Amino acid sequence: MASILIVDDDAPIRAALRDILEEDGHQIREAANGHIGLMLYREAPADLVMTDVLIPKRDGMEVTLALTQEFLDARVIAMTGAVGDQNFLNVAKLFGARRVIQKPFTSEVIRRVVRFTLDH
């Protein structure tokens, strides 16, 4: 299956995503902040990056923009738990995110969005 890099400062969210995605056969790497996420991707590009928008040390917007500028084929899914404001997700799309997800999410949503993003 695919290699997926999860960039989120919330360990329970990373664990939940890891469980869902490993169950589907994907190989997972994790980063707790944007700086580490970019470092890991540059060392070994992943098939897909899932990044939270609001993370420390280079937020998800910076991560998305850096990846899509440096790697033309980078596939990024941006996530946020910020409620009532679609602006974060709209900006993430402008910065190159292929898909966006509002937290909280279900495993079905994660699987559908990951499958779609990997296929396109």
Side-chain angles (χ1 to χ4, degrees):
M1 295 304 288
S3 63
I4 300 175
L5 174 60
I6 300 167
V7 186
D8 198 311
D9 60 329
D10 189 338
I13 295 287
R14 288 195 316 270
L17 289 168
R18 174 184 281 278
D19 290 347
I20 293 165
L21 297 169
E22 281 184 340
E23 196 173 284
D24 289 351
H26 299 294
Q27 294 194 333
I28 307 301
R29 287 182 296 158
E30 298 178 28
N33 66 55
H35 177 74
I36 293 170
L38 284 172
M39 233 174 46
L40 289 174
Y41 190 93
R42 288 173 179 142
E43 288 172 6
D47 297 317
L48 176 65
V49 176
M50 299 182 75
T51 184
D52 188 14
V53 171
L54 300 173
I55 52 175
K57 296 184 183 175
R58 300 200 68 175
D59 67 30
M61 300 297 191
E62 288 181 76
V63 170
T64 300
L65 189 58
L67 289 176
T68 56
Q69 285 181 335
E70 288 179 48
F71 304 91
L72 297 179
D73 58 345
R75 294 181 183 136
V76 179
I77 296 173
M79 307 174 289
T80 188
V83 288
D85 188 1
Q86 282 291 87
N87 201 29
F88 282 128
L89 296 178
N90 291 334
V91 172
K93 284 183 190 175
L94 290 173
F95 281 13
R98 301 219 180 163
R99 292 282 172 264
V100 294
I101 298 174
Q102 183 73 48
K103 293 178 186 177
F105 47 74
T106 64
S107 56
E108 293 78 29
V109 167
I110 294 300
R111 287 186 168 105
R112 185 177 67 243
V113 171
V114 165
R115 237 185 342 265
F116 183 86
T117 305
L118 287 170
D119 290 344
H120 292 91

